[in-house]
Amino acid sequence: MIGVQISLYQPRIFELEKCTMLLDMSSHQMVNVSGIYEIENLDEYTGLKCLWLEHNGIRFIENLQHQKELHCLYLQHNLIEHQENLEPLEKLDTLNVCNNQISQIENIACLKVLHTLQISHNKLQTVQDIEHLKYCDELGVLDLSYNRLDDPGVLDVFEQMKNLKTITVWLLNLSTGTLTVPMECDGSMYVYQCMQACVEYCTVHFVREKRI
């Protein structure tokens, strides 16, 4: 954080210069504070570009209606179960909700310029849990690793994501070795290549590359 001083007296009360563009409220960055449990008191800080709230006890995404300039939101390592109340964040480019309690991807198609979604270490398991992704038109980078996805049908969802460039995902119950999935998208042929495999999991790093 550059040029900003935060004085915390209670977990949910803070003071900072209203002109700041970057705000780090991660628990490991704050002194004498056990953590933040609610997102609040940000109404006056309308110019925020990046907001770090990781490693807290936050259960709900809320009270961000005044952060219309926000580009990056980091909420990893919390207790979040649902992606909600994101509609005001029209300029959000990056969302990190890794290491939470999310069992379904939802309510992010409203983020029209969202390019990067990091949602590893959650509770996603079925095609239905991730099918909302096909409505995220600008999503280019996706991290779904360390979930419990076990249906090869999730590949159909990826195929419908027209701007997807890179995806990291673990697919259970696939045979080990290299997994190659030819796919035609927007008139061009692409290949999804499995970069690493082990005995119980096939760790697939999908990189979409145009086939010559």
Side-chain angles (χ1 to χ4, degrees):
M1 184 172 55
I2 301 175
V4 177
Q5 181 176 0
I6 299 178
S7 176
L8 287 144
Y9 302 100
Q10 296 181 15
R12 295 182 294 171
I13 299 177
F14 60 91
E15 296 177 356
L16 70 161
E17 296 180 16
K18 297 179 178 60
C19 63
T20 183
M21 297 176 64
L22 309 176
L23 176 58
D24 193 340
M25 297 179 66
S26 310
S27 63
H28 60 277
Q29 294 290 343
M30 300 185 294
V31 181
N32 299 323
V33 173
S34 59
I36 294 172
Y37 304 101
E38 296 181 25
I39 303 173
E40 59 179 1
N41 299 330
L42 291 173
D43 294 1
E44 298 182 31
Y45 309 106
T46 57
L48 287 178
K49 301 291 186 182
C50 297
L51 178 58
W52 288 268
L53 289 162
E54 69 263 30
H55 291 277
N56 283 295
I58 296 170
R59 292 183 178 274
F60 304 104
I61 303 175
E62 58 185 348
N63 299 323
L64 293 173
Q65 61 269 23
H66 298 286
Q67 278 61 60
K68 298 183 183 297
E69 299 299 317
L70 199 64
H71 286 231
C72 303
L73 179 58
Y74 300 98
L75 287 163
Q76 61 266 35
H77 293 277
N78 278 287
L79 302 172
I80 295 167
E81 296 183 3
H82 300 285
Q83 296 146 292
E84 56 191 344
N85 302 316
L86 294 167
E87 291 82 2
L89 307 182
E90 297 177 355
K91 297 184 179 181
L92 196 69
D93 171 84
T94 299
L95 176 62
N96 189 329
V97 286
C98 296
N99 294 91
N100 276 283
Q101 304 296 316
I102 296 170
S103 58
Q104 185 175 32
I105 296 176
E106 57 188 345
N107 301 322
I108 61 171
C110 60
L111 303 173
K112 299 302 183 182
V113 298
L114 185 67
H115 176 265
T116 300
L117 175 63
Q118 296 164 291
I119 193 168
S120 67
H121 294 88
N122 276 282
K123 296 183 176 181
L124 304 172
Q125 188 168 3
T126 69
V127 174
Q128 290 73 27
D129 295 341
I130 71 162
E131 64 181 355
H132 183 75
L133 289 171
K134 63 188 180 184
Y135 303 111
C136 301
D137 293 339
E138 296 302 318
L139 198 62
V141 179
L142 176 63
D143 184 358
L144 285 166
S145 58
Y146 295 94
N147 280 281
R148 301 292 298 177
L149 295 168
D150 59 2
D151 187 344
V154 299
L155 299 174
D156 296 332
V157 176
F158 303 150
E159 183 174 357
Q160 297 178 66
M161 299 174 68
K162 59 184 180 182
N163 285 309
L164 188 62
K165 298 295 188 298
T166 302
I167 175 171
T168 305
V169 61
W170 282 27
L171 297 178
L172 307 185
N173 300 325
L174 293 181
S175 59
T176 60
T178 298
L179 173 68
T180 301
V181 183
M183 188 186 76
E184 187 170 353
C185 183
D186 296 332
S188 301
M189 185 64 72
Y190 298 87
V191 173
Y192 285 151
Q193 183 72 35
C194 174
M195 303 302 293
Q196 180 181 357
C198 60
V199 175
E200 296 181 357
Y201 294 87
C202 183
T203 304
V204 185
H205 181 65
F206 290 107
V207 180
R208 181 181 291 182
E209 298 178 345
K210 189 171 183 178
R211 177 182 289 175
I212 300 175

